[in-house]
Amino acid sequence: MSDPTSRILQLLSLLQTYRFWPGTELSDRLGISSRTLRRDIDRLRVLGYPVDATPGAAGGYRLAAGSHMPPLLLDDDEAVAIAVGLRAAAGASIDGIEEISVRALAKLEQVLPDRLRRRVRTVHANIVPMRWDGGPGPTVVPEALALLSQACRDHEEARFDYRRRDGEESSRLVQPHHLVSAGRRWYLVAWDVRRDDWRTFRLDRVVEPRLAGARFTPRSVPGGGPAEFVARSIADMPVAHHVVVRATCTAEEVASLLRWVDADVEDLGATCRVALRGEEPAWLAMVIAGLATAVDVELEEDLSGAVGPCLAAVGRRLSRATPGPSRGGG
């Protein structure tokens, strides 16, 4: 790379990842000597970009935090990835995120060349997020998400008031470890200091989080990782309604039909038993009715006694919606 300006921009783009770059690797990437690399690093420092250097045979460079914002240098794939991420964010359960993502994309477009700007606009204009829950639902305050992300990163304790699913409110002091996105829900995985145990907290129920100031040594999250821990916590939550149905198909067929539903399937050969759980009997009735569009289904057990009546009501409505025999003479 003979053009000094292009080379400096490429060097800044590499350093902008804030990873440590061995000097030999940077020289190979840019196709220059170590002496030329040192001169280019000095030029960046003159321009106001603080670059830390580690001397020696295994030495290298890293862009340090400073007062100058480096220019945004993106290749085609990175620009498209950002556009997709911003568009997907519009469907997240974060208060005001759609407007925020539009503002962020507008700022991004201002610093992109025409070729990339057109590509990003095309991607952003033709992606529409689908909201599965059919309504706005509870949202997370962006400031809370940012503060707890900072607490996870810096290993700093946090305080907040928390409203449980039963409405009970309590004050919590926690050591935040990870944030987990599960569909339109956000969860914080944290060590609860006062309860001396791991807990998951839904962020839309967290009120006025604030940093506590004390640092902590991070722990290993049990159960294989934060996502697995949250998944197990959700599965272990008590729900109001349980129902069991028998379906005339294999377990593999049920799994394909109910791929987005929390269900325990027991293979019985030609049939299988399907155990379902949920907060609303009407939702469970809808799941069973959907299953019945593909296979024969029989209600075997309704532990709450509320799903059966819902199914009967659905059956009556479907019966009225079904066209009857022709009444014409013949």
Side-chain angles (χ1 to χ4, degrees), residues 5-264:
T5 302
S6 298
R7 192 176 65 241
I8 287 288
L9 289 175
Q10 178 64 18
L11 172 60
L12 186 56
S13 176
L14 294 172
L15 293 173
Q16 197 172 310
T17 62
Y18 289 94
R19 57 164 281 192
F20 174 81
W21 288 91
T24 53
E25 187 173 348
L26 279 178
S27 298
D28 292 342
R29 286 283 191 109
L30 300 172
I32 58 177
S33 66
S34 57
R35 182 178 179 181
T36 302
L37 174 63
R38 288 194 295 271
R39 286 203 301 265
D40 288 347
I41 293 292
D42 288 338
R43 290 191 184 100
L44 286 177
R45 289 169 175 159
V46 170
L47 292 172
Y49 301 108
V51 181
D52 292 337
T54 303
Y61 303 93
R62 182 196 302 270
L63 187 66
S67 59
H68 288 73
M69 172 68 75
L72 193 59
L73 304 171
L74 301 172
D75 60 29
D76 292 27
D77 292 338
E78 291 170 340
V80 170
I82 290 177
V84 171
L86 288 172
R87 197 69 188 101
S93 55
I94 303 173
D95 189 30
I97 193 64
E98 188 160 2
E99 179 184 349
I100 294 170
S101 66
V102 170
R103 290 203 313 266
L105 187 68
K107 293 178 181 179
L108 173 65
E109 290 179 351
Q110 294 300 314
V111 297
L112 292 178
D114 289 342
R115 175 179 55 83
L116 280 183
R117 186 182 299 119
R118 288 193 299 269
R119 189 171 182 183
V120 166
R121 283 177 176 172
T122 299
V123 172
H124 195 270
N126 290 282
I127 295 178
V128 178
M130 184 173 181
R131 293 174 172 82
W132 291 95
D133 60 0
T139 57
V140 176
V141 179
E143 291 79 7
L145 193 63
L147 184 141
L148 292 172
S149 297
Q150 177 185 339
C152 292
R153 181 197 65 191
D154 297 339
H155 311 310
E156 184 173 352
E157 292 182 354
R159 300 178 185 274
F160 51 78
D161 296 328
Y162 190 69
R163 184 181 65 259
R164 298 195 339 174
R165 57 188 292 134
D166 59 6
E168 180 183 341
E169 297 184 358
S170 60
S171 297
R172 302 298 183 103
L173 173 63
V174 303
Q175 297 175 350
H177 280 67
H178 297 278
L179 291 169
V180 176
S181 172
R184 286 179 56 81
R185 294 283 181 264
W186 286 85
Y187 293 89
L188 171 68
V189 177
W191 178 265
D192 193 311
V193 175
R194 297 191 178 114
R195 289 160 177 78
D196 198 32
D197 199 2
W198 288 100
R199 290 289 190 274
T200 60
F201 301 94
R202 259 180 53 175
L203 259 62
D204 56 281
R205 295 175 179 162
V206 170
V207 180
E208 295 184 358
R210 55 229 181 250
L211 298 175
R215 305 280 179 167
F216 64 88
T217 301
R219 309 166 186 258
S220 296
V221 179
E228 292 80 4
F229 182 76
V230 170
R232 191 176 69 252
S233 299
I234 293 174
D236 292 342
M237 289 179 182
V239 293
H241 304 283
H242 294 76
V243 65
V244 179
V245 298
R246 186 182 293 266
T248 56
C249 62
T250 64
E252 290 76 12
E253 290 172 311
V254 169
S256 65
L257 293 168
L258 301 180
R259 65 180 61 186
W260 306 117
V261 178
D262 180 17
D264 294 324

Side-chain angles (χ1 to χ4, degrees), residues 273-324:
R273 297 177 75 249
V274 184
L276 301 166
R277 57 201 294 270
E279 291 293 330
E280 298 293 335
W283 180 83
L284 290 171
M286 180 184 69
V287 171
I288 297 170
L291 185 61
T293 62
V295 298
D296 289 335
V297 178
E298 178 185 352
L299 182 62
E300 186 174 291
E301 190 175 17
D302 179 9
L303 297 181
S304 66
V307 180
C310 282
L311 272 176
V314 170
R316 290 192 297 269
R317 296 188 186 103
L318 289 175
S319 179
R320 289 194 293 270
T322 303

